[in-house]
Amino acid sequence: MAGKNQHVVPHQDGWAVESAGNQRATSVHDTQQQAIDAARDIARNQQSELVIHRPDGRIRDKDSHGNDPFPPKG
Protein backbone atom coordinates (compact mmCIF):
# COMPACT_ATOMS: atom_id res chain seq x y z
CA MET A 1 0.00 0.00 0.00
CA ALA A 2 1.28 3.44 -0.92
CA GLY A 3 1.84 6.11 1.72
CA LYS A 4 0.69 9.71 1.79
CA ASN A 5 1.92 12.08 -0.89
CA GLN A 6 4.71 14.39 0.27
CA HIS A 7 4.43 18.09 -0.54
CA VAL A 8 7.26 20.65 -0.52
CA VAL A 9 5.58 23.96 0.26
CA PRO A 10 6.61 27.51 1.22
CA HIS A 11 6.77 28.08 4.98
CA GLN A 12 7.31 31.19 7.09
CA ASP A 13 10.72 29.80 8.12
CA GLY A 14 11.77 28.63 4.63
CA TRP A 15 10.39 25.46 3.03
CA ALA A 16 8.36 22.69 4.63
CA VAL A 17 7.70 19.02 3.92
CA GLU A 18 4.07 18.14 4.57
CA SER A 19 2.28 14.81 4.24
CA ALA A 20 -1.05 15.03 2.44
CA GLY A 21 -3.87 15.58 4.91
CA ASN A 22 -1.67 16.46 7.87
CA GLN A 23 -2.10 19.78 9.68
CA ARG A 24 1.56 20.17 10.71
CA ALA A 25 4.76 20.11 8.71
CA THR A 26 6.88 16.96 8.89
CA SER A 27 10.03 19.11 8.72
CA VAL A 28 11.12 22.68 7.90
CA HIS A 29 14.25 23.57 5.91
CA ASP A 30 16.17 26.72 4.98
CA THR A 31 16.17 25.99 1.23
CA GLN A 32 13.74 24.39 -1.17
CA GLN A 33 16.42 21.90 -2.27
CA GLN A 34 16.92 20.67 1.30
CA ALA A 35 13.16 20.19 1.63
CA ILE A 36 12.99 18.36 -1.73
CA ASP A 37 15.78 15.98 -0.67
CA ALA A 38 14.05 15.20 2.64
CA ALA A 39 10.64 14.76 0.98
CA ARG A 40 12.11 12.51 -1.73
CA ASP A 41 13.54 10.17 0.92
CA ILE A 42 10.14 9.95 2.63
CA ALA A 43 8.32 9.42 -0.69
CA ARG A 44 10.70 6.60 -1.64
CA ASN A 45 10.24 4.90 1.73
CA GLN A 46 6.45 5.20 1.55
CA GLN A 47 6.24 4.54 -2.21
CA SER A 48 4.23 7.72 -2.67
CA GLU A 49 4.25 10.84 -4.82
CA LEU A 50 6.50 13.87 -4.31
CA VAL A 51 4.78 17.17 -5.16
CA ILE A 52 6.97 20.29 -5.32
CA HIS A 53 5.26 23.70 -5.10
CA ARG A 54 6.45 27.13 -6.23
CA PRO A 55 6.75 30.04 -3.77
CA ASP A 56 3.25 31.17 -4.81
CA GLY A 57 1.83 27.73 -3.97
CA ARG A 58 1.29 26.47 -7.52
CA ILE A 59 2.63 23.00 -8.36
CA ARG A 60 6.06 23.15 -9.97
CA ASP A 61 6.82 19.45 -10.41
CA LYS A 62 5.73 15.94 -9.44
CA ASP A 63 7.82 12.82 -9.01
CA SER A 64 6.28 9.40 -8.42
CA HIS A 65 8.03 6.87 -6.21
CA GLY A 66 5.18 4.37 -6.15
CA ASN A 67 4.45 1.21 -8.07
CA ASP A 68 4.03 2.71 -11.52
CA PRO A 69 2.67 0.41 -14.23
CA PHE A 70 5.05 -0.22 -17.09
CA PRO A 71 4.19 0.29 -19.83
CA PRO A 72 1.93 3.14 -18.73
CA LYS A 73 -1.78 2.72 -19.34
CA GLY A 74 -3.36 4.85 -22.04
Side-chain angles (χ1 to χ4, degrees):
M1 183 173 131
K4 293 182 178 181
N5 291 349
Q6 301 300 311
H7 293 260
V8 175
V9 296
H11 186 273
Q12 65 186 14
D13 296 326
W15 289 88
V17 176
E18 294 180 354
S19 293
N22 287 3
Q23 296 289 331
R24 297 179 59 186
T26 303
S27 59
V28 178
H29 304 271
D30 292 332
T31 67
Q32 187 181 37
Q33 187 59 54
Q34 290 171 333
I36 291 169
D37 293 342
R40 180 167 281 124
D41 288 342
I42 296 168
R44 281 185 184 139
N45 289 337
Q46 294 186 357
Q47 295 185 340
S48 61
E49 183 116 350
L50 169 61
V51 182
I52 303 167
H53 295 261
R54 296 181 186 277
D56 64 6
R58 292 183 303 148
I59 293 175
R60 178 184 110 180
D61 198 12
K62 288 185 177 183
D63 194 3
S64 179
H65 294 284
N67 293 324
D68 296 330
F70 186 81
K73 294 180 182 178

